[in-house]
Amino acid sequence: MKITIKETQNPTILKFEFPDFITQNESFEYKNIDEAKNSPLAQQLFYLPFVKTVYISGNFIAVERFSIVDWKDVQEAVSEQIENYISKGGVVVLPSENIIKKQPISVYGETTPNPASLKFVVNKALTKTAAEFKNIDEATPSPLAIELFKFHFVKEIFIAENYISITKYDSISWEEITLELRTFIKQFIENGGIVLDETKIVNDVKHEKQQIKNFDNLDTTSQQIINILEEYVKPAVAADGGNILFDSYNETEKRVKVVLQGACNGCPSSTFTLKSGIENMLKDMLNDKDIIVEAING
């Protein structure tokens, strides 16, 4: 059985593809040799000191390495080891009643008004608390976001309800990476990976505003604005892969400040949406033609 070596967008992960399927409708992820008790092949791979994670799914085995080596120095040896193991009749994954069957999920990509952002919709609830991460250091509450930031083209991540909005750098097109991201998210969730640990979300100013915990202490106009944003605006921007948060209202200037998140942040059409959509809506519903809406950096 000849194995084909394929690179991935993550330079630390290499795929070893088989000509036939090695698992049937199952995906496995092993972080160490103890987790790999039902996979003799994965256990053997963990004896290699540079192996960090082993993924087994469909017709491939993907191996994530530690930084102590480069793949160009060891990939042929790993491929040969896997080929020899299979040729001698070695078992990839043991059948077991104790194996938890993965719940299949679907993930599909939706375009957004922001050409730099794509919305990946999942057919299950992911979180009750939306969260935005600008870089990997902010992504501690989300193991999924941490892994996604390892793709060099991922710039920002926004997670809400049943979708993940990813903003990319301009150096690559969506056509080149959409399938890989969709497959990665699907397998990560199917394998039981944690999308977002809401208990670890830092209660910074942005999240406090999102929860609107001080609602009862706000002035009447601010409360009205929040209610309008929640009922009429948030569902619309969520459909586009984004979010809007109330920041403040200045009664003297009649200025409403909001925070745009996800696909809405940096979107070329966001200014038009603010002025022609949200601002006009607030003017009409509050009966105040002097209202001004301004987006601040989220």
Side-chain angles (χ1 to χ4, degrees):
M1 179 180 289
K2 184 62 178 176
I3 289 176
T4 303
I5 301 174
K6 289 191 175 181
E7 296 181 350
T8 69
Q9 289 291 341
N10 187 333
T12 65
I13 298 178
L14 205 62
K15 290 175 70 174
F16 300 87
E17 290 192 352
F18 294 75
D20 300 309
F21 282 94
I22 55 175
T23 65
Q24 295 297 325
N25 302 318
E26 292 180 322
S27 298
F28 304 91
E29 178 182 344
Y30 308 108
K31 295 290 188 182
N32 53 60
I33 196 169
D34 290 333
E35 290 185 2
K37 290 179 180 178
N38 68 316
S39 175
L41 174 54
Q43 285 189 319
Q44 182 171 315
L45 290 172
F46 275 115
Y47 284 113
L48 300 172
F50 55 82
V51 172
K52 181 179 180 181
T53 309
V54 177
Y55 307 89
I56 301 176
S57 179
N59 70 327
F60 70 87
I61 295 173
V63 179
E64 181 180 11
R65 63 169 173 80
F66 287 105
S67 58
I68 57 175
V69 298
D70 290 327
W71 272 122
K72 61 182 176 62
D73 297 324
V74 297
Q75 63 185 42
E76 294 298 336
V78 174
S79 178
E80 183 178 350
Q81 180 173 328
I82 295 174
E83 285 182 355
N84 291 337
Y85 178 88
I86 298 297
S87 66
K88 293 178 182 178
V91 177
V92 178
V93 178
L94 292 170
S96 172
E97 296 180 357
N98 296 325
I99 297 177
I100 299 175
K101 299 295 183 181
K102 306 302 179 184
Q103 292 297 319
I105 66 164
S106 65
V107 179
Y108 65 91
E110 282 187 358
T111 58
T112 74
N114 187 347
S117 298
L118 199 65
K119 177 182 177 183
F120 292 89
V121 183
V122 184
N123 67 332
K124 63 173 287 185
L126 301 177
T127 180
K128 294 180 181 179
T129 304
E132 183 178 44
F133 307 110
K134 301 286 189 179
N135 53 61
I136 196 170
D137 291 333
E138 293 183 0
T140 303
S142 174
L144 173 58
I146 289 175
E147 294 303 314
L148 287 172
F149 273 119
K150 293 178 182 178
F151 292 94
H152 68 88
F153 47 75
V154 172
K155 183 179 181 181
E156 296 178 10
I157 298 169
F158 176 71
I159 301 174
E161 296 183 349
N162 70 326
Y163 67 88
I164 301 111
S165 282
I166 296 178
T167 301
K168 67 174 181 64
Y169 288 100
D170 294 334
S171 59
I172 197 166
S173 68
W174 282 117
E175 288 77 10
E176 298 176 80
I177 60 176
T178 298
L179 179 60
E180 183 171 8
L181 285 173
R182 186 189 70 81
T183 302
F184 181 86
I185 293 170
K186 173 179 168 65
Q187 291 182 350
F188 183 92
I189 298 174
E190 283 184 338
N191 283 321
I194 297 174
V195 175
L196 184 65
D197 185 347
E198 298 180 36
T199 65
K200 293 183 179 180
I201 295 179
V202 179
N203 289 322
D204 59 15
V205 175
K206 187 164 57 180
H207 288 295
E208 286 291 332
K209 286 186 169 67
Q210 183 173 329
Q211 300 301 317
I212 318 176
K213 294 179 179 179
N214 61 337
F215 181 85
D216 292 336
N217 298 324
L218 296 175
D219 60 273
T220 302
T221 303
S222 293
Q223 291 180 345
Q224 291 175 322
I225 293 170
I226 290 171
N227 287 333
I228 293 171
L229 294 178
E230 290 288 318
E231 184 173 355
Y232 297 100
V233 181
K234 273 197 174 185
V237 296
D240 287 335
N243 191 32
I244 187 170
L245 307 178
F246 172 80
D247 181 85
S248 61
Y249 169 67
N250 186 303
E251 187 174 1
T252 302
E253 299 179 352
K254 301 295 181 71
R255 185 181 303 274
V256 180
K257 291 186 179 180
V258 297
V259 177
L260 298 178
Q261 294 181 314
C264 295
N265 186 19
C267 176
S269 62
S270 61
T271 301
F272 176 82
T273 301
L274 285 172
K275 295 300 178 182
S276 299
I278 301 171
E279 188 175 285
N280 287 340
M281 179 185 294
L282 291 177
K283 286 179 178 179
D284 291 339
M285 300 187 76
L286 296 176
N287 195 26
D288 189 337
K289 302 303 180 183
D290 295 323
I291 290 285
I292 299 172
V293 177
E294 174 186 335
I296 62 175
N297 188 354

